[in-house]
Amino acid sequence: MSNAANLVAVIPAAGVGSRMQADCPKQYLSIEGQPVLWHSVSRLLAHPRVSQAVVAVSANDPYVGDIQWPVDKPVHVVTGGKERADSVLAGIRYAISVCRADWVLVHDAARPCLRAADLEQLIATSMSTNIGGILAVPVRDTMKRSDNGAISATVDRTALWHAQTPQMFPAAELESALASALTAGATITDEASALEWAGKQPLLVEGHADNIKITHPEDLALARFYLQQELV
């Protein structure tokens, strides 16, 4: 990745977050007076290498238009798809065709606690390769495999990692891998899995466990705590 390469953030935000049991999608719940999505996007745009952001939302999203983005960088809003991968693909295609992206940095809308140092490390590491990489943390707990609610085995955790976002890849390569994998009916759980399906081996960049994804009600309180510690 040269100094002139254009890095664009892509944020899929079309999910409804049903497990939160809230009145609105989780990415629009408030932390410190701003929606979760505002925090997630702001973390990315704060990095000098990120030129702009593309946010993929559901059709007729009634919330995103009210967000006042905090920095003087463009934030484009596009219509996402039924599944996360569909929204990511829509965002990448916009980033390539309109934003002229060379690389994309895909980040979860409901992951507002990304550390600036972790983002810097991911970008710097990905710049050293033509494949890209993801933030992740090594598994620390004992892992069990279940069989109808009972333990069937203890899984060796030595080489296991919890995948996080952002995940950074060459834009055209990720677009091609995602499109091909979806056409083939492959199971794509994150961007790295699309590259893996295409035969690539993305890098693992160690981040921190506080880069949580808000999924359940208790996660919102934990994210608020993490952000408040930084604001003090």
Side-chain angles (χ1 to χ4, degrees):
M1 180 176 176
S2 69
N3 289 333
N6 184 19
L7 174 59
V8 177
V10 173
I11 302 92
V16 297
S18 58
R19 284 176 288 184
M20 283 297 297
Q21 302 173 357
D23 295 332
C24 65
K26 59 188 178 182
Q27 60 268 28
Y28 297 116
L29 296 173
S30 180
I31 298 179
E32 297 296 322
Q34 295 287 355
V36 169
L37 178 60
W38 181 95
H39 291 281
S40 300
V41 173
S42 300
R43 297 279 165 141
L44 302 174
L45 292 180
H47 195 283
R49 289 302 303 266
V50 179
S51 68
Q52 53 204 302
V54 179
V55 180
V57 302
S58 61
N60 303 314
D61 181 299
Y63 305 103
V64 72
D66 295 330
I67 297 179
Q68 298 296 315
W69 305 108
V71 296
D72 189 23
K73 292 181 180 180
V75 176
H76 311 273
V77 177
V78 301
T79 300
K82 181 179 179 181
E83 303 295 337
R84 182 184 187 279
D86 299 316
S87 294
V88 171
L89 188 56
I92 294 171
R93 286 175 169 166
Y94 187 94
I96 292 172
S97 63
V98 177
C99 307
R100 304 300 184 212
D102 299 304
W103 286 70
V104 287
L105 192 69
V106 183
H107 189 46
D108 293 325
R111 207 179 283 270
C113 301
L114 172 65
R115 295 190 186 195
D118 289 350
L119 177 58
E120 170 60 31
Q121 185 62 36
L122 174 64
I123 292 174
T125 302
S126 296
M127 285 173 62
S128 69
T129 172
N130 290 324
I131 300 174
I134 74 171
L135 278 186
V137 292
V139 169
R140 296 180 175 88
D141 298 318
T142 297
M143 305 297 290
K144 303 291 186 182
R145 180 174 287 111
S146 69
D147 180 9
N148 294 322
I151 296 171
S152 63
T154 298
V155 180
D156 182 8
R157 68 185 181 195
T158 303
L160 296 180
W161 292 65
H162 292 288
Q164 299 180 339
T165 66
Q167 302 193 0
M168 180 175 166
F169 301 103
E173 187 168 356
L174 179 56
E175 189 276 336
S176 176
L178 261 178
S180 298
L182 291 175
T183 299
T187 300
I188 302 300
T189 55
D190 66 353
E191 292 64 59
S193 62
L195 270 296
E196 294 164 41
W197 182 87
K200 305 293 185 179
Q201 290 185 295
L203 299 175
L204 289 165
V205 179
E206 186 168 356
H208 289 82
D210 53 12
N211 182 25
I212 63 170
K213 182 179 180 181
I214 295 173
T215 304
H216 301 284
E218 60 268 25
D219 298 330
L220 187 67
L222 186 56
R224 184 176 291 115
F225 171 78
Y226 287 142
L227 291 173
Q228 285 173 342
Q229 301 314 299
E230 292 188 358
L231 294 173
V232 172

